[in-house]
């Protein structure tokens, strides 16, 4: 019974990380049993994971049209596929329609937020991302997911020069000593022109060790550029690039 075993197949494929195998071989099974919505969704997910997005969209659109029961899971995958192929208006429209039925679905809210972000709709993106934070509840196990969404929202606000709003969002982070949170705070203060606060955050980041030291070097380079100390800035960017790669040098050149 393919419908009943689709969930089991998914767990096995995920456990063994053989999504590309399923994308290559699942088509024959799907063609033999096109009526099995659960396997169709699984096959389409494999196509998406294998970056065969056009095929996935074609199959998902057929699946939604043919679904006898509740097509919500298929529509969720379809919305994701639209977003990954640049059909952002379609992704936003479908996500919004699904949220009317599932208003507290964290995954949908996150997806809609990222779709808005790709469309340059910062305020709408932040609203959806913060709604996703609430949808995750207060369980300690989901803290990192909630903070990840908060930091993403804060970063979008910083990029839009909405510094006060970003500071407000950062004030709600549950693990403010996490290196990623410190990094976003340092970026905020740099962009806002608060050099002393930025340097304090950079020092905190350096104390976190690991790759955080390289990130601190990169941000220190930016601070040095802004204060006109180009030679020192170059040294900081080059140290950072040894760990983080040449994109740091590109950022330094841009500054």
């Amino acid at each position: 019974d393919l419908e009943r075993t689709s969930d089991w197949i998914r767990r096995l494929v995920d456990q063994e990380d053989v999504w590309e195998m399923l994308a290559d071989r699942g088509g024959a099974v799907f063609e033999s049993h096109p009526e099995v919505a659960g396997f169709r969704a699984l096959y389409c997910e494999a196509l998406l994971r294998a970056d065969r997005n056009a095929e996935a969209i074609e199959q998902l659109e057929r699946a939604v049209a043919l679904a006898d029961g509740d097509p919500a899971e298929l529509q969720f995958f379809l919305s994701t596929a639209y977003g990954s192929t640049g059909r952002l208006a379609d992704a936003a429209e479908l996500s919004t329609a699904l949220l009317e039925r599932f208003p507290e679905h964290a995954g949908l809210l996150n997806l809609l937020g990222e779709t808005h972000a790709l469309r340059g709709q910062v305020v709408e993106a932040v609203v959806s991302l913060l709604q996703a934070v609430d949808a995750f509840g207060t369980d300690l196990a989901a803290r990192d997911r909630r903070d990840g969404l908060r930091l993403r929202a804060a970063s979008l606000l910083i990029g839009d020069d909405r510094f006060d709003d970003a500071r407000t969002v950062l004030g709600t982070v549950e693990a403010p000593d996490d290196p990623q949170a410190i990094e976003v705070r340092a970026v905020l203060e740099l962009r806002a022109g608060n050099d002393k606060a930025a340097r304090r955050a950079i020092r905190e980041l350096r104390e976190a060790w690991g790759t955080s030291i390289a990130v601190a070097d990169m941000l220190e380079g930016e601070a040095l550029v802004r204060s006109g100390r180009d030679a020192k800035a170059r040294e900081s960017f080059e140290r950072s690039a040894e760990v983080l790669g040449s994109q740091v040098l590109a950022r330094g050149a841009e500054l």
Side-chain angles (χ1 to χ4, degrees):
D1 187 337
L2 190 59
E3 188 67 73
R4 288 193 297 174
T5 57
S6 291
D7 286 343
W8 179 84
I9 294 170
R10 188 193 189 287
R11 288 195 296 272
L12 181 61
V13 169
D14 198 44
Q15 176 183 326
E16 300 298 327
D17 193 21
V18 288
W19 287 99
E20 288 199 17
M21 180 189 294
L22 180 60
D24 290 337
R25 302 185 183 180
V29 179
F30 159 69
E31 291 298 337
S32 299
H33 304 279
E35 76 286 353
V36 181
F39 185 80
R40 187 194 292 261
L42 178 61
Y43 174 53
C44 290
E45 181 177 358
L47 291 174
L48 286 174
R49 287 173 178 263
D51 292 326
R52 292 163 59 176
N53 297 325
E55 294 175 70
I57 286 176
E58 179 183 355
Q59 298 298 347
L60 284 164
E61 287 177 337
R62 287 174 58 193
V64 171
L66 294 172
D68 293 329
D70 186 350
E73 182 180 12
L74 293 169
Q75 288 175 319
F76 179 78
F77 283 130
L78 180 56
S79 183
T80 304
Y82 280 148
S84 68
T85 53
R87 293 174 60 176
L88 303 178
D90 290 330
E93 181 180 354
L94 187 51
S95 295
T96 300
L98 283 170
L99 281 166
E100 291 178 1
R101 300 168 58 194
F102 309 101
E104 297 182 0
H105 190 297
L108 275 172
L109 289 163
N110 189 3
L111 176 62
L112 182 59
E114 292 299 340
T115 303
H116 284 314
L118 289 170
R119 301 180 78 185
Q121 300 169 327
V122 172
V123 173
E124 293 86 347
V126 170
V127 168
S128 292
L129 291 172
L130 295 182
Q131 287 175 339
V133 170
D134 293 337
F136 272 115
T138 59
D139 188 352
L140 183 61
R143 185 193 70 181
D144 290 346
R145 300 289 300 276
R146 292 191 296 269
D147 275 357
L149 291 165
R150 292 183 179 108
L151 295 178
R152 174 64 171 145
S155 296
L156 289 171
L157 291 166
I158 293 168
D160 203 40
D161 293 341
R162 297 173 180 268
F163 303 129
D164 290 340
D165 292 336
R167 197 169 282 109
T168 298
V169 172
L170 285 175
T172 66
V173 169
E174 296 169 66
D177 295 331
D178 182 87
Q180 287 185 311
I182 298 171
E183 178 184 344
V184 175
R185 191 167 75 247
V187 171
L188 167 61
E189 301 303 350
L190 275 173
R191 302 291 192 273
N194 300 323
D195 292 343
K196 288 185 178 180
R199 288 188 178 279
R200 281 198 301 271
I202 291 170
R203 282 197 298 272
E204 289 180 49
L205 195 59
R206 197 177 297 283
E207 292 169 0
W209 295 95
T211 56
S212 297
I213 296 176
V215 175
D217 283 334
M218 179 183 66
L219 295 174
E220 185 173 43
E222 181 170 341
L224 290 165
V225 167
R226 293 175 186 275
S227 62
R229 301 167 66 185
D230 291 350
K232 284 286 188 183
R234 179 188 293 270
E235 293 176 8
S236 292
F237 286 129
E238 288 176 348
R239 281 198 308 272
S240 178
E242 290 177 3
V243 177
L244 300 181
S246 59
Q247 68 271 19
V248 174
L249 299 179
R251 174 61 178 157
E254 180 185 356
L255 289 165

